[in-house]
Amino acid sequence: MEPRPRQRRRKAGTEKPRTIHDVPDDILRQILLGLDSPLWLLRAACACRQFRRAVASADGGRAFLRLAGSLHPPVVVGHYHNRSVRPIAFVPSPWPLAPPIDCGRFALDFLPRRIITTTDWVVADCHGGLFVLWDSQNSPPNLIVCDPLTRRGQGIPHPPGKRAGFVVALLDGDGDGNMSISNFRVLYYCFHGDGAPPQVCVFSAADGGDGWRFLRRPPSAGSNYLGHVAGRVDGSIYLDSVAGKVRVLDNARLEVSEVHLPIGIDKSKAPRRSSFTVVHGAGANPTSPPSTWIIHVHGEELEFFRRVRGCSGGEWVLEHNIPKLSEVARGLLAGCPEERLERTEEYVIAVGTGTAVLSAGDRDERKLLFSIDMDTKKLQVAPKEAYRRTNWTFTYTLPWPQLLKACPS
């Protein structure tokens, strides 16, 4: 019988094998920063007290959650579709673009039937796990803010004097900035029937909030808020203005400033409205901020601006342009002789992580859909079934779990 190999005796005083529990919290946080979804972060926090303390402790957890949210693009669960002949519908993002979750939770069946069975109610904005509905057939419109994760909705009273207008954006809540069905704000643009300049007011649902309040701005500043939400970058709201420019609304101070884009399109040659859309993509590595683009559409011309971060917060550079979509589409539609684009106009109807969906209509009012990969700027023909009868979509993203609290030791 062969002799057994001699086992090495452990020397007295040597250290025991280390485990994950011996990793310091600061190093553990660096590892957890690689998790690109709040779902995975929640699951990690539920694994053990050490992970939960690293994620949500009072001395560093809140800063960690803010940093983790800034380093990853929002997780796009799906889109709410405003349709021309059907009620609002939720369309989930396909796996692996979205985590495997119960998409039935995002249906609107927790609201009264008179709301979910009519096309009068439309989505006005979607942010922080909430979305706001408004009744487009009433003036002033009825407003409801909904949280599909908790399946709760809260009606909002009309602005003072029942002034007509429309919702501009959902804002983060008062206080520590956390957003929930009991802590949110709504920015509302008011019209006046007597010819007076429009005004902007904000509704606050936070505890101790005073309901509606008008912003103290010069009368000429009211028009700065006019437009729809193009997207959100670093906590600020980008507004696609009717003047063909992009303005940024500071979420805290509610002040508006203009975004400087190096636009190369000569808009004087074609009197069409410009539209702008913000798209986020993954960063170069798990610990780098997400890439951010703005798509500028004017007629059938497209420009793609990428944000270059620097010491001043970043600037926008022109990364790519498509002078005429119909020429690009001719090659994509070569195998479909019944499809063609002539004298087309387009607009972005949906965005995902690093992708966008472009709707194009020609003089015969046929609509074609194209998907755009923002990294390569490559276009592909997209199936029309998912966006049939869709006028506009609103992206629903999972909120980062900023309300996590550490377990007592």
Side-chain angles (χ1 to χ4, degrees), residues 113-164:
R113 181 175 176 81
R114 60 180 175 80
I115 295 176
I116 62 177
T117 59
T118 177
T119 57
D120 293 346
W121 288 85
V122 296
V123 178
D125 192 22
C126 200
H127 173 57
L130 306 179
F131 61 87
V132 57
L133 300 174
W134 70 315
D135 185 356
S136 59
Q137 298 301 313
N138 281 316
S139 181
N142 299 311
L143 304 175
I144 300 177
V145 173
C146 302
D147 182 356
L149 295 180
T150 61
R151 302 183 65 77
R152 295 173 57 195
Q154 177 177 323
I156 300 177
H158 291 130
K162 294 188 175 182
R163 293 176 171 87

Side-chain angles (χ1 to χ4, degrees), residues 34 45 116 151 167 198 211 219 226 230 305 334 377 387:
I116 62 177
R151 302 183 65 77
V167 173
L226 187 60
F305 303 97
K377 307 304 183 295
Y387 298 93

Side-chain angles (χ1 to χ4, degrees), residues 275-287:
S275 64
F276 301 87
T277 307
V278 175
V279 183
H280 295 284
N285 57 71
T287 58

